[in-house]
Amino acid sequence: MSIKRLPLKIERTLDLLIEKKYKILVWDAVWIDELIQDFFCKKKYFYVFVYSISYPRVYKTEKFKNIKVKIDENIKDLRERQTQKDIFMTEQSDVSLVIWDWKSKWSYNNIIRLLKNNKEVQVFYNNNFINKENLNINYIKKIYEENHMYSLSEYIREENPKIKNVKKMKELLINEWIISKDEIINKNYITEVDVKINRWKKILIYNKKLLDKFFIYSNFNNREKYNKSNLTLF
């Protein structure tokens, strides 16, 4: 969703797909999938199949075909339902093109899944395609870990389930002068802390290495016990 326009190299790649008359499978999400659909509409190329789990969120023309993926009704979580759709699309595809902003967990999971399934995949990030010799699981994990930003709840869920309390984590970050009580980011940490808008709600997200420093490589309980200075700076 952070990608707001198609890079020129991607447009050239899509032109090549049109020239070769490829069948195009595309997601139904906003921004990048929407841009892809716009591109094919502009080119009047309609051999395009939009995959969704219900009526597609983005469906630029009825000249495209909508493929509604059947999901097990026992799966209630929306993210898991979308993941099942991604798995199905992985199985359906011969070649996959992933346009990645370095941080997106959704794209990361798709790349890893494609590689594990020995599918041919091209990954575009940092304004270029990753060389095939570098396109392996370890390299993709390294990129993701260096760039992905976590909310505190996401960090607990995925990286450190031993921590039970987001509130206490936030208190420690305040005590360490990384953020203020009213969530102003210390200027010394502007590359390690960012703001994400999630359904119109502001959420602070943090570099994994920064969180590891306080909640893995240090003794969280001891720090919590002895560091009680609730100063608001900046």
Side-chain angles (χ1 to χ4, degrees), residues 29-83:
V30 296
W31 294 119
I32 189 63
D33 301 315
E34 188 172 6
L35 293 173
I36 294 290
Q37 291 191 38
D38 281 337
F39 178 88
F40 288 117
C41 281
K42 182 179 177 181
K43 295 286 183 171
K44 293 183 170 41
Y45 187 78
F46 303 116
Y47 196 28
V48 175
F49 297 73
V50 180
Y51 282 65
S52 64
I53 60 174
S54 58
Y55 188 81
R57 294 163 291 179
V58 175
Y59 193 36
K60 288 294 182 171
T61 173
E62 291 188 357
K63 291 183 179 180
F64 296 159
K65 184 173 181 180
N66 175 221
I67 303 296
K68 184 178 178 181
V69 180
K70 187 175 181 180
I71 306 295
D72 187 340
E73 292 301 321
N74 292 320
I75 300 174
K76 303 300 182 182
D77 182 76
L78 180 59
R79 284 180 174 270
E80 179 57 28
R81 292 174 68 84
Q82 293 287 359
T83 297

Side-chain angles (χ1 to χ4, degrees), residues 37 48 61 64 72 75 130 149 153-154 156 169 188 192 199 215 228 231:
Q37 291 191 38
V48 175
T61 173
F64 296 159
D72 187 340
I75 300 174
I130 295 178
M149 307 282 277
S153 58
E154 181 185 18
I156 291 175
M169 290 176 71
N188 294 322
E192 297 177 276
R199 294 182 180 177
F215 305 117
K228 294 295 183 181
L231 297 178

